[in-house]
Amino acid sequence: MSTPGRGLHGRVLDTLGPAITAGEYPAGSVLRTDELAQRFEVSRSVMREAVRVLESMHLVESRRRVGVTVLAECEWNVYDPQVIRWRLAGSERPRQLRSLTVLRSAVEPVAAGLAARLATPEQCAELTECALGMVANSRGHRLEEYLFHDVAFHRVILTASGNEMFARLGGVVAEVLAGRTHHDVMFEDPDPAAVTLHVQVAEAVRARDAERAERLTREITEGALQELDILAP
Amino acid sequence: MSTPGRGLHGRVLDTLGPAITAGEYPAGSVLRTDELAQRFEVSRSVMREAVRVLESMHLVESRRRVGVTVLAECEWNVYDPQVIRWRLAGSERPRQLRSLTVLRSAVEPVAAGLAARLATPEQCAELTECALGMVANSRGHRLEEYLFHDVAFHRVILTASGNEMFARLGGVVAEVLAGRTHHDVMFEDPDPAAVTLHVQVAEAVRARDAERAERLTREITEGALQELDILAP
DNA sequence: GTGACATATAAGTCTGACTTTTTGTTCCCG
DNA sequence: CGGGAACAAAAAGTCAGACTTATATGTCAC
């Protein structure tokens, strides 16, 4: 997905990033740039660029006379989309999915409330369109089409909130929803109750009813929490 | 703060990062690596490392035969602590502060609710200690001491939530609170009502009353929103 | 044991040559 | 006159080698 192979250093990252985020090198492990360069058969300059990127993600720290030290998980930039993707692809997937779903449960209701106040007429229209698309594909194992509209729906909500930080979570939510459809148990058609809630959120936003939009969205995200067996009120 | 001068490429970033995030180069502007290297009086290798880091933050995109293109604001990794710091230091400060405060208003109440369920006895103790520290320094222009305990309080809440993504926002909240104390209008002693709320949150967490902890924290964050004239319910 | 000093090590830096990709131009032919 | 293929130039990408610098660690005298 996104950007496969944007240069040699990117290839290195595609291997090293997932390895580190998967915990293959325990915190405190020390790597040497030269050794890594040999292992990946690239020049030191390329390897250094890769290390610099990992460093900017706070996955590693490079110190003179010591080497490249792998940092503890609590230091990582867990909001970096690249890091999120690496973790979603590895063995940490379930935990990452839980973290993200909890984050969603905090952010999306507030975003929906703001969207109800700030959404443009175009965004309102887009929203109802998405909701209708979800309804139309909610039966007959049209999972891909359903997912497409579901992702679009949440993206519009987050964008319409007018908050750049919320908007930036659109990609994350997309990956969570896609993950649920593709990897996890989702053989059956989506829950009709969830579909209805989306339609109602679209209505509430169009009606500028912030409180209602927030409450309904909270119901949606609480459903997502329950799917993952995360304790709810 | 944090890491001043971790190598030559870091110095370059200290100048180039703020410049880009401040909007000095409009989206679509094209820079050339060699020219930049000359301008900053560093070698191309160092400049390339800096560009790679900016690229990993999605601030720029490097393409052959074209150069280093500055990306649109909506592409930026606005959750990267470095990017946040750069923006808080520049002319985008007010907007960044608003975004972050809205994010806080979404995250912290949910985090407090989770903390009420999951906090360890040690964390509960720490929390009450912080709240008491806030009370003790809430009068007599002891702003720095008050800030210290305030930051610690919110950090404990976010950490005790058990969610790594929430925990990671501790630093961000710290910068927001520090910014409010140092830059903005905060000559008077803190609002007594806010102090009381913190004490009550600590009590609620200790009493494992998730709903109450969430509600009280929501009151705190709504106060923060009002301070910035962000429309509230 | 403590402090100063020496040493080895690995990252950091610079330079210059070469490769590769991409874009824009030119030129030929339909 | 238009479209497509060949060409040329530009900028990033890659590599190899030499050199610098910081620093952890070990050594020795006191």
Side-chain angles (χ1 to χ4, degrees), chain B residues 8 11-17 19 25 31 33-43 46-47 50:
Chain B
L8 260 188
R11 308 277 189 79
V12 173
L13 285 174
D14 287 340
T15 309
L16 204 48
Y25 306 92
L31 312 169
T33 318
D34 292 19
E35 191 216 311
L36 290 172
Q38 277 185 26
R39 171 135 58 102
F40 290 103
E41 297 177 306
V42 294
S43 67
V46 168
M47 198 59 226

Side-chain angles (χ1 to χ4, degrees), chain A residues 100-123:
Chain A
L100 290 174
T101 305
V102 172
L103 180 66
R104 277 189 64 196
S105 77
V107 166
E108 291 205 63
V110 175
L114 286 169
R117 296 157 196 261
L118 303 172
T120 65
E122 291 76 28
Q123 287 170 327

Side-chain angles (χ1 to χ4, degrees), chain B residues 125-141:
Chain B
E126 233 180 308
L127 213 53
T128 41
E129 200 181 327
C130 291
L132 289 181
M134 290 176 69
V135 172
N137 294 290
S138 63
R139 291 174 172 278
H141 295 279

Side-chain angles (χ1 to χ4, degrees), chain A residues 92-173:
Chain A
E92 287 302 302
R93 176 186 179 71
R95 204 151 59 86
Q96 173 74 94
L97 222 45
R98 279 161 196 270
S99 298
L100 290 174
T101 305
V102 172
L103 180 66
R104 277 189 64 196
S105 77
V107 166
E108 291 205 63
V110 175
L114 286 169
R117 296 157 196 261
L118 303 172
T120 65
E122 291 76 28
Q123 287 170 327
C124 289
E126 232 180 307
L127 213 53
T128 42
E129 200 181 327
C130 291
L132 290 180
M134 291 176 69
V135 173
N137 294 290
S138 63
R139 290 173 173 279
H141 294 279
R142 307 174 63 89
L143 294 181
E144 287 304 326
E145 294 86 346
Y146 179 84
L147 171 65
F148 175 82
H149 290 98
D150 195 8
V151 167
F153 182 93
H154 290 275
R155 239 187 236 284
V156 174
I157 289 282
L158 290 167
T159 304
S161 75
N163 185 301
E164 54 174 4
M165 315 228 24
F166 288 172
R168 245 308 183 165
L169 293 176
V172 172
V173 172

Side-chain angles (χ1 to χ4, degrees), chain B residues 6 22 30-32 36 50 74 91 94 143 149 165 168 171-172 219 224:
Chain B
R6 54 287 181 218
V30 175
L31 312 169
R32 264 163 303 119
L36 290 172
C74 64
S91 59
L143 294 181
H149 290 98
M165 316 229 21
R168 244 308 183 168
V172 172
E219 284 188 50

Side-chain angles (χ1 to χ4, degrees), chain B residues 32-73:
Chain B
R32 264 163 303 119
T33 318
D34 292 19
E35 191 216 311
L36 290 172
Q38 277 185 26
R39 171 135 58 102
F40 290 103
E41 297 177 306
V42 294
S43 67
R44 291 196 310 288
S45 14
V46 168
M47 198 59 226
R48 302 188 92 266
E49 289 171 27
V51 168
R52 280 278 126 66
V53 172
L54 293 175
E55 207 175 19
S56 88
M57 296 168 173
H58 281 81
L59 259 45
V60 303
E61 189 187 40
S62 180
R63 280 168 57 200
R64 270 183 158 130
R65 169 58 212 249
V66 174
V68 178
T69 314
V70 177
L71 293 178
E73 201 170 343

